[in-house]
Amino acid sequence: MAELKADVLVLGAGMVGVSAALHLQQRGRDVVLVDRHDRAGEETSFGNAGLIESASVFPYMFPRNFAQILQYAMNSSPQVRYQLADLPVFLPWLLRYYLASSPDRALHSAMAELPLIRRSLIEHQALIAEAEVPELLRRTGWIKLYRSEAMLANAMRDFERARQYGVAGDVLDGDAIAAREPHLTGDFAGAIHFPAPGFVPDPGGLAKAYAALLKRKGGRFVVGDARTLEQGSGGWRVAGADGAAIAREVVVALGPWSDLVFRPLGYSIPLGVKRGYHLHLAPRRNAVLNHPVLDSDLGYVLAPMNRGIRLTTGVEFARRDRPPTSIQIERALPRAHALFPLGEAVDAKPWMGARPCLPDMLPVIGKAPRHAGLWFDFGHQHHGLTLGPATGRLLAEMMTGETPFADPTPFAVERFG
Ligand SMILES: Cc1cc2nc3c(=O)[nH]c(=O)nc-3n(C[C@H](O)[C@H](O)[C@H](O)COP(=O)(O)OP(=O)(O)OC[C@H]3O[C@@H](n4cnc5c(N)ncnc54)[C@H](O)[C@@H]3O)c2cc1C
């Protein structure tokens, strides 16, 4: 069997891996992208809500409000549910998440990520132009709806804080909501429209377009299992379906599956997952949804994707590999039907994905301390579509000895000891 030689193997062809591969290629590296699927963007990067959240300055931290924690603990909240049987698996992680969410540490995470968030849309725009897929970026922004006065008041406080970092938004009353989204029905205390974020109506399609660009420029794609990774005298080697691929350097960009590679190499990194679901539904009659909308009090998003209206749920804490449950989609569906005229489901069953998360809600980006040529780029939590290209740039700059555009220190794996 043929043996492929390259400068860098990138393991994982989700938004994060494909973006890193493109940035390495731009810097002259010969890259082989490796995935167990024969196409890019088939997993988490396929199923998200499509938001390039350039206005989300504050990451999704563990709530510090007792009433909210109690609501989550009761397991009746539509935003967050947990699988009781898996509690022993994720409770220690939740505790770390809670500790990393103190006001000081949450602010540290936000400030560390801010340069990446600010860069997020710019980097996508550059890649989208080069990949010649302008139809995959819509500049509608998104709307967060609030039903209770208390939720709106909280949101306004967060918005005032975000404004200090340049985030723009329009506060909407009922009439203004109706003007922007005439087909929504509900009793809203108000809404905020963030006009700047990008919306991708086919996130899996965007990852595929980026992978196609990589190939057009000479990059190669290998179907293979990252768990076969070995370090030898010639560098790093992975077994592909048509032969091995070998390179001096390797990037682990396996999203929620990154532990399959870092753990056997002896790294203990607290990678957890927040699972989530989506289901596409056809709009009824001539109903049109102009923006993605978050029904904040109920924790789901409706987004006008190419395939239909995509309903995405909040967070489910459970083992990554536990079979899907339909509870969150079932909880959200009647509410979504009441919000917008939805018809039949387009998908045979809900899709499930797992947001790869570190307790401080920052990704791990940088060099692995104990192996020459091993690099990490995973844990992009709720913002992997948003941050894929920006973190790809950061990683590629580090790997090629350029001055990184943002301080990489907060993303170093060494923060976990
Ligand atoms: C419901 C939901 C809504 C979301 N909404 C948004 C949003 O609006 N905006 C946003 O920015 N983010 C959003 N996210 C988060 C975002 O989708 C993720 O952060 C992002 O997709 C992670 O990308 P990734 O490339 O790291 O992982 P993935 O896309 O999962 O890619 C990992 C790749 O590794 C491959 N792989 C796994 N195991 C192996 C193996 N053994 N060998 C070879 N290959 C392997 C997989 O096939 C896959 O292609 C959402 C997530 C969910 C679940």
Side-chain angles (χ1 to χ4, degrees):
M1 277 198 202
E3 208 171 62
L4 277 186
K5 286 206 168 68
D7 297 324
V8 188
L9 305 177
V10 176
L11 306 180
M15 181 49 73
V16 171
V18 171
S19 301
L22 278 170
H23 273 288
L24 285 161
Q25 187 182 56
Q26 278 177 15
R27 287 161 183 77
R29 296 292 192 268
D30 180 17
V31 182
V32 169
L33 195 54
V34 181
D35 203 281
R36 62 184 171 189
H37 294 292
D38 61 2
R39 300 187 315 159
E42 288 288 292
E43 295 286 353
T44 332
S45 300
F46 163 80
N48 55 54
L51 292 160
I52 300 177
E53 293 192 54
S54 55
S56 296
V57 168
F58 301 107
Y60 293 89
M61 304 311 288
F62 196 101
R64 289 270 158 159
N65 166 323
F66 182 70
Q68 206 173 359
I69 296 176
L70 194 67
Q71 194 201 14
Y72 291 170
M74 305 289 284
N75 218 6
S76 57
S77 148
Q79 290 103 327
V80 177
R81 79 172 291 277
Y82 58 90
Q83 193 71 44
L84 195 60
D86 291 347
L87 202 62
V89 178
F90 61 77
L91 198 60
W93 187 89
L94 271 189
L95 183 63
R96 293 182 79 150
Y97 182 23
Y98 176 79
L99 293 173
S101 300
S102 68
D104 282 1
R105 293 179 67 187
L107 186 64
H108 167 83
S109 289
M111 292 306 102
E113 201 174 83
L114 189 60
L116 308 184
I117 288 282
R118 286 195 170 140
R119 193 78 181 215
S120 57
L121 187 57
I122 299 166
E123 293 296 335
H124 268 294
Q125 282 172 316
L127 293 182
I128 283 170
E130 210 186 342
E132 296 175 27
V133 284
E135 69 282 6
L136 291 182
L137 178 63
R138 294 194 199 147
R139 299 304 312 277
T140 57
W142 68 314
I143 296 177
K144 295 187 182 182
L145 300 165
Y146 302 96
R147 291 170 187 265
S148 71
E149 292 293 343
M151 288 286 280
L152 179 63
N154 266 341
M156 288 303 297
R157 270 195 297 277
D158 287 349
F159 178 41
E160 283 312 320
R161 273 208 311 156
R163 260 197 230 267
Q164 296 167 24
Y165 301 99
V167 170
D170 300 329
V171 179
L172 312 180
D173 61 11
D175 289 345
I177 296 171
R180 284 175 212 210
E181 288 295 352
H183 292 103
L184 294 187
T185 309
D187 221 351
F188 306 114
I192 305 177
H193 179 196
F194 295 94
F199 171 58
V200 177
D202 177 4
L206 188 63
K208 288 171 181 57
Y210 288 174
L213 173 65
L214 183 86
K215 269 190 171 173
R216 226 169 32 241
K217 293 168 69 182
R220 287 164 290 173
F221 190 105
V222 162
V223 180
D225 188 338
R227 287 172 298 183
T228 60
L229 184 72
E230 293 174 339
Q231 190 180 24
S233 53
W236 294 93
R237 176 193 192 94
V238 77
D242 300 318
I246 300 172
R248 198 166 33 84
E249 293 184 294
V250 61
V251 177
V252 180
L254 294 162
W257 295 276
S258 299
D259 59 328
L260 298 181
V261 166
F262 69 66
R263 200 169 291 145
L265 290 170
Y267 293 92
S268 170
I269 305 168
L271 179 67
V273 294
K274 294 184 186 178
R275 307 200 316 175
Y277 297 84
H278 86 217
L279 184 72
H280 290 95
L281 300 121
R284 255 199 291 128
R285 296 186 296 278
N286 298 326
V288 175
L289 186 65
N290 298 314
H291 314 78
V293 293
L294 168 69
D295 196 346
S296 303
D297 305 48
L298 305 172
Y300 67 89
V301 172
L302 289 185
M305 296 282 172
N306 290 346
R307 186 171 162 77
I309 304 293
R310 180 179 283 187
L311 184 169
T312 47
T313 69
V315 166
E316 182 184 56
F317 288 105
R319 273 187 297 116
R320 179 191 61 209
D321 301 328
R322 173 177 284 280
T325 61
S326 52
I327 297 172
Q328 274 195 308
I329 287 282
E330 278 166 17
R331 279 186 187 166
L333 263 180
R335 291 148 180 198
H337 276 285
L339 178 68
F340 183 80
L342 293 168
E344 293 296 304
V346 175
D347 306 321
K349 61 180 174 55
W351 167 91
M352 188 192 76
R355 305 167 181 92
C357 298
L358 281 311
D360 57 8
M361 293 296 116
L362 295 176
V364 175
I365 302 164
K367 209 171 187 356
R370 296 193 299 276
H371 292 81
L374 177 65
W375 296 82
F376 293 143
D377 189 9
F378 58 80
H380 288 62
Q381 33 93 8
H382 297 248
H383 288 154
L385 168 63
T386 304
L387 295 178
T391 53
R393 169 182 287 276
L394 183 66
L395 179 84
E397 287 172 347
M398 293 169 79
M399 288 179 69
T400 57
E402 282 177 36
T403 305
F405 78 90
D407 178 10
T409 324
F411 310 112
V413 70
E414 285 87 346
R415 72 189 192 268
F416 300 113

